[in-house]
Amino acid sequence: MLKLAKKYWQSTDRLYFLLCIGCSVFAVLVLLSIGKYHLGGFQVDEVGGTRSLGGYRQAVMQAAASCAGIFCAVVVSLLDYRALAKLWPVHAVFTWGLVATTFLRGRRIAGITFGYAPPGTDNHSWILLPGFSLQPTELAKISFILLFALHLETVRERINEPKELTGLLLHMLLPVGVIHFQGDDGTGLIFLAIGCMMLFVAGLSWKYILSAVAAGVSAFAIVLGFFSDKVLKSYQFMRIMAVFYPDDPTYAEFTYQQNQGKVSIGAGQIMGRGLFGEEHNYVVNSWNDFVFSYIAEAVGFVGCMILLAVLLTIALKTLSIGLRSQDKLGVYICTGVFAAFSWQIVINLGMNLGVLPVIGVTLPFLSAGGSSVLMLYLCIGIVLSVYSHNKTTLFGER
């Protein structure tokens, strides 16, 4: 067994894997700190005895999800990514079948709540199980990347023909529409970014790209100016406007969280206050969407630069593994994973810095969320499959 483990370790991209694991270890430490300062620590009874994990539950769940994800990444990396892509009828039906159950909107069956919406949101994209929750759209990202990559490889020579391009656009926009009706536009935006970047790498003509950009900007301006009440929910419109008018008291309710986040980021200064050094400023959802603000206060500017350098390295290595693939399928898959990873980082940082509206996009590896962590490691496993199956097998040179 140890011999097999050694051979596997020699055949995989060790730096890539270690950087991902390092991010997960750091995430657990951050969530332990948040559990102590923001979530009240252990829940105790009237005589001081510990009753439950209380505020530390997020950290424990993150650690468990990370361990499960690392194991899944190893297993998936041993499988040929080409076979995984061709198994699309299995994973597409399974993942999108789970997504479909969320449209039951809060219906409880056999102790499971389908279409669960966390307090304070109308995002019904969760399935609430005993002890934990699952967001099926996170798993659907993986299926989408694999199937869209296979679609692109099939039509790569004809991608700019109107018939083939129409099919690709329908393939890309249908999941976005389904997720929109769930109420999770942040995730829908990530799906759109994944599809667009994969199309770009596949060789989409610049005339289509420039036309799409112009149409998108125009449509956004028209919707925002004339049809916001018909297309956007009221809180979505207010969040967008709050970015443009952060000091307007009209939007004070929607700038509060971001203002708190910016105060925390500034409080970290150069070296930070430390994860367990002293009391931290309170930020709403500091364990999830606004974990970067908490991290910035804890480790300061220097620590943030190191963290962002690690995340950038992971993103670039994902792309470089794809570019060295012997077939286009590997290129497209790694591009999809790179797009999911990098755009989530960009959007989440924009939310924390107050330059983008709050749309519920998490920071990869670091935000609390078992579904998100598991999805990331499954993606990492697929990328490592592209790496190993274009270099060596488990038992020697290919």
Side-chain angles (χ1 to χ4, degrees), residues 1-246:
M1 193 70 180
L2 288 175
K3 186 177 179 180
L4 287 175
K6 183 178 179 181
K7 285 184 177 294
Y8 172 80
W9 190 243
Q10 291 173 341
S11 69
T12 195
D13 191 322
R14 295 180 291 277
L15 176 60
Y16 184 67
F17 214 164
L18 286 173
L19 288 174
C20 296
I21 294 172
C23 284
S24 288
V25 172
F26 181 63
V28 173
L29 292 175
V30 170
L31 291 172
L32 284 172
S33 177
I34 294 172
K36 177 181 179 181
Y37 293 117
H38 283 189
L39 300 177
F42 289 113
Q43 186 179 19
V44 298
D45 57 26
E46 54 275 2
V47 295
T50 300
R51 295 176 56 190
S52 71
L53 292 171
Y56 295 120
R57 184 178 181 277
Q58 299 279 12
V60 172
M61 293 296 293
Q62 191 84 350
S66 297
C67 289
I70 291 167
F71 174 78
C72 290
V74 171
V75 172
V76 170
S77 69
L78 295 174
L79 305 174
D80 193 321
Y81 62 94
R82 304 172 187 91
L84 290 173
K86 291 177 182 177
L87 281 173
W88 68 265
V90 176
H91 54 72
V93 169
F94 175 72
T95 57
W96 289 104
L98 287 177
V99 171
T101 65
T102 64
F103 284 91
L104 293 174
R105 296 294 177 105
R107 186 170 181 181
R108 189 174 177 84
I109 303 174
I112 301 173
T113 303
F114 296 95
Y116 171 73
T121 177
D122 62 353
N123 176 2
H124 291 265
S125 63
W126 298 84
I127 297 175
L128 186 62
L129 299 140
F132 67 100
S133 57
L134 173 70
Q135 190 173 18
T137 47
E138 291 294 334
L139 298 177
K141 282 180 188 174
I142 306 167
S143 178
F144 174 74
I145 290 170
L146 289 171
L147 182 52
F148 199 58
L150 188 63
H151 191 170
L152 284 170
E153 187 193 39
T154 303
V155 303
R156 66 182 183 275
E157 301 297 335
R158 309 182 304 278
I159 186 174
N160 290 304
E161 294 180 8
K163 178 183 177 181
E164 302 297 351
L165 183 56
T166 299
L168 288 166
L169 291 176
L170 287 173
H171 187 163
M172 179 178 71
L173 294 176
L174 182 59
V176 175
V178 170
I179 295 168
H180 168 73
F181 287 111
Q182 262 190 336
D184 189 6
D185 288 325
T187 299
L189 186 61
I190 296 299
F191 269 76
L192 185 63
I194 292 169
C196 289
M197 191 166 286
M198 291 174 74
L199 280 171
F200 175 76
V201 170
L204 183 64
S205 171
W206 277 102
K207 68 179 181 180
Y208 291 126
I209 295 173
L210 295 176
S211 298
V213 170
V217 171
S218 300
F220 178 76
I222 292 170
V223 166
L224 204 60
F226 303 101
F227 302 105
S228 60
D229 57 331
K230 296 180 176 60
V231 178
L232 300 173
K233 298 180 177 69
S234 59
Y235 73 87
Q236 292 175 324
F237 175 76
M238 297 292 275
R239 284 177 177 175
I240 293 171
M241 298 307 294
V243 173
F244 296 105
Y245 305 101

Side-chain angles (χ1 to χ4, degrees), residues 267-278:
Q269 300 185 30
I270 301 299
M271 300 304 297
R273 294 179 170 181
L275 282 174
F276 300 98
E278 58 181 281

